């Protein structure tokens, strides 16, 4: 299945990582997500990150540290649009979305 969706609203602060990378322009879904039905939408402008050098891991984690959904991909040199499917059976509640940027070679 494939459907077009609007990008989430732009966040008002940059993301800064320990490896001195930063992403100034990004956005994330702000509305409630229903497991098994909705897609959590994320966009990242990674045009300032060298192409084919870094990977990103987007992870949905509950308050106990349990991982419920994950997307890993190469990034760099373009706009990244990530649609994270939330599996049916994911319990309702508050979750943390973690974004990790790491070098592909190590």
């Amino acid at each position: 299945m494939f459907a077009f969706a609007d990008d989430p609203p732009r966040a008002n602060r940059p993301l800064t990582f320990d490896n001195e990378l930063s992403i100034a322009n990004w956005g994330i879904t702000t509305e409630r997500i229903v497991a098994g039905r909705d897609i959590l939408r994320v966009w990242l402008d990674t045009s300032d990150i060298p192409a084919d050098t870094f990977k990103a891991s987007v992870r949905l984690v509950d308050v106990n540290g349990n991982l419920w959904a994950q997307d890993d991909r190469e990034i760099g040199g373009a706009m990244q649009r990530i649609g994270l499917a939330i599996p049916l059976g994911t319990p309702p509640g508050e979750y943390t979305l973690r974004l990790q940027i790491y070098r592909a070679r190590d």
Side-chain angles (χ1 to χ4, degrees), residues 16-88:
T16 304
F17 301 91
D18 290 340
N19 54 10
E20 299 180 15
L21 292 176
S22 68
I23 298 174
N25 297 308
W26 62 280
I28 185 171
T29 300
T30 56
E31 64 268 3
R32 240 175 228 255
I33 302 294
V34 176
R37 184 184 76 190
D38 296 330
I39 301 293
L40 191 148
R41 294 172 289 126
V42 178
W43 66 268
L44 307 166
D45 180 355
T46 59
S47 58
D48 292 335
I49 297 176
D52 301 325
T53 302
F54 291 94
K55 291 189 176 188
S57 181
V58 178
R59 300 173 183 185
L60 186 72
V61 180
D62 68 16
V63 295
N64 296 317
N66 298 310
L67 177 66
W68 289 92
Q70 181 173 341
D71 181 283
D72 287 85
R73 63 181 58 210
E74 291 184 8
I75 62 169
M79 177 75 72
Q80 303 291 314
R81 288 182 172 86
I82 301 167
L84 190 63
I86 310 305
L88 186 63

